[in-house]
Amino acid sequence: MTHRYGDLTAVDDLSLEIARGEVFGILGPNGAGKSTLISIMSGMLAPTAGAVTLGGSEVTPTAHAVKRRLGVVPQDLALYEALSGRENLRFFGRVYGLSGRRLRDRAAAVLDVVGLADRAGDAAGAYSGGMKRRLNLAAGLIHEPELLMLDEPTVGVDPQSRAHIFDNVERMRRETGMTIVYTTHYMEEAERLCDRVAIVDHGRIVALDTPRGLIQSLGGGVIQLGVDAAQRERAAQALAPLRSVRGVAPGPDGQSLNVEAASAQHTLVDVMQALNAASLPLASVRILEPNLESVFLRFTGRSLRD
Ligand SMILES: Nc1ncnc2c1ncn2[C@@H]1O[C@H](COP(=O)(O)OP(=O)(O)O)[C@@H](O)[C@H]1O
Ligand SMILES: [Mg+2]
């Protein structure tokens, strides 16, 4: 799909397939096109070109039967502040075609899921930011969608609500097998929650794999050696010539030596042998694995938090 706002191309000829039951992460900085993608994938916005299908049925703004099979938790809160939490959920449930006993039962069930049962009678306007987010999550879940899309659900949320949202996503994956699309610019969330992650920048996918696969594609890592200050120079000289060592530099703490490794595991053996041969004592060893942040930096040349 492609989407343009006037001259600006927010989604640029992007193609994507998500499997049933998958927790799929869309990771990218602000302005990457994540929310536009979610809007198109949930049938809120018709793309300029291309199409989205859910199990073979096209998702369009007027495809109401298909849209009932998916739930969206938008980045911008959609709530009626004057209504109570429970009344908000009953409103959204009716929009999704629920009524009567079923509507009441589902509202009670999702209030329980997001931990708001005891505040269900209070006006949503009196909720904290995190509670409002949780109510929004409940609204996206009320009709038991096959596919749930969460757009940056933890931005501006207190730690307790954040943990709650995390736990809910993990539990839904485990217990219901629901397909989940999760956008974020926090790589630790993507790393922890997602089966696969697409890194999106300027409306394009720049990398797509499992978190592990993305990290391994970088290869290497950094081995941090605790070496006595008096021996640091000599240690650096002993290690620099090794073939599996890309570079040696003093650690930022001034206490260690950072060895950039072609492959952390292989390089570690070479490093230990070289230090042993030079009779250099070693106080500590730490392997710093690359993370999704380094992957993002590699593929976009920019930091995720820019
Ligand atoms: N309604 C809109 N009208 C014009 N430009 C928009 C609109 N919505 C988003 N954009 C622009 O499209 C690009 C992608 O935005 P968005 O999808 O919100 O990205 P993200 O969710 O990754 O931050 C940005 O440059 C943004 O300014
Ligand atoms: Mg967004």
Side-chain angles (χ1 to χ4, degrees):
M1 56 198 131
T2 291
H3 194 75
R4 292 191 197 90
Y5 298 107
D7 289 339
L8 187 136
T9 304
V11 174
D12 192 2
D13 196 18
L14 182 151
S15 200
L16 179 62
E17 193 166 358
I18 297 170
R20 186 182 292 276
E22 191 168 27
V23 179
F24 191 90
I26 298 176
L27 182 70
N30 286 330
K34 302 182 296 298
S35 293
T36 304
L37 262 174
I38 293 291
S39 297
I40 295 170
M41 287 163 69
S42 60
M44 293 189 286
L45 184 68
T48 312
V52 178
T53 59
L54 175 67
S57 310
E58 191 166 346
V59 182
T60 66
T62 53
H64 301 293
V66 183
K67 282 164 70 178
R68 279 182 189 179
R69 294 163 56 193
L70 48 90
V72 196
V73 183
Q75 180 172 1
D76 298 320
L77 292 168
L79 293 173
Y80 293 96
E81 303 238 320
L83 298 183
S84 72
R86 185 182 291 112
E87 287 163 345
N88 265 286
L89 291 178
R90 291 192 180 165
F91 171 81
F92 285 106
R94 266 182 236 111
V95 170
Y96 283 118
L98 303 182
S99 61
R101 174 85 191 256
R102 170 123 180 91
L103 175 59
R104 279 200 308 279
D105 288 352
R106 284 300 302 157
V110 292
L111 279 164
D112 226 31
V113 166
V114 300
L116 287 175
D118 58 335
R119 300 291 303 274
D122 299 356
Y127 286 3
S128 72
M131 290 167 69
K132 287 178 182 171
R133 278 254 154 240
R134 278 144 68 187
L135 186 58
N136 246 311
L137 173 59
L141 287 172
I142 192 153
H143 57 301
E144 293 185 281
E146 292 166 42
L147 166 63
L148 178 68
M149 289 179 255
L150 301 158
D151 195 4
E152 306 231 27
T154 60
V155 169
V157 162
D158 59 281
Q160 192 203 346
S161 289
R162 192 165 182 226
H164 225 290
I165 290 168
F166 259 31
D167 292 347
N168 285 154
V169 173
E170 287 190 321
R171 177 140 42 92
M172 284 186 288
R173 182 235 299 262
R174 217 173 35 241
E175 291 175 4
T176 70
M178 187 186 287
T179 310
I180 297 172
V181 178
Y182 190 105
T183 82
T184 183
H185 65 274
Y186 296 123
M187 64 274 162
E188 66 274 16
E189 292 184 2
E191 246 175 290
R192 169 164 161 198
L193 295 173
C194 301
D195 298 313
R196 285 192 305 155
V197 174
I199 296 180
V200 175
D201 196 28
H202 300 303
R204 292 170 178 259
I205 293 177
V206 294
L208 196 170
D209 203 343
T210 60
R212 201 93 288 271
L214 286 170
I215 290 163
Q216 280 169 356
S217 73
L218 277 188
V222 168
I223 302 171
Q224 197 170 66
L225 304 172
V227 183
D228 188 67
Q231 311 277 14
R232 212 163 298 147
E233 192 56 42
R234 217 155 65 77
Q237 280 167 10
L239 299 177
L242 295 177
R243 263 215 292 158
S244 61
V245 169
R246 285 185 186 150
V248 184
D253 55 0
Q255 308 289 315
S256 58
L257 211 53
N258 279 351
V259 179
E260 211 193 312
S263 138
Q265 306 302 329
H266 291 133
T267 309
L268 184 60
V269 176
D270 294 349
V271 163
M272 300 304 257
Q273 281 171 352
L275 292 178
N276 235 337
S279 303
L280 285 161
L282 195 56
S284 64
V285 180
R286 267 180 79 199
I287 295 181
L288 309 180
E289 293 276 353
N291 56 24
L292 276 187
E293 173 84 46
S294 12
V295 174
F296 187 82
L297 195 65
R298 158 73 66 89
F299 283 108
T300 68
R302 285 181 299 117
S303 158
L304 208 45
R305 292 178 207 272
D306 279 354

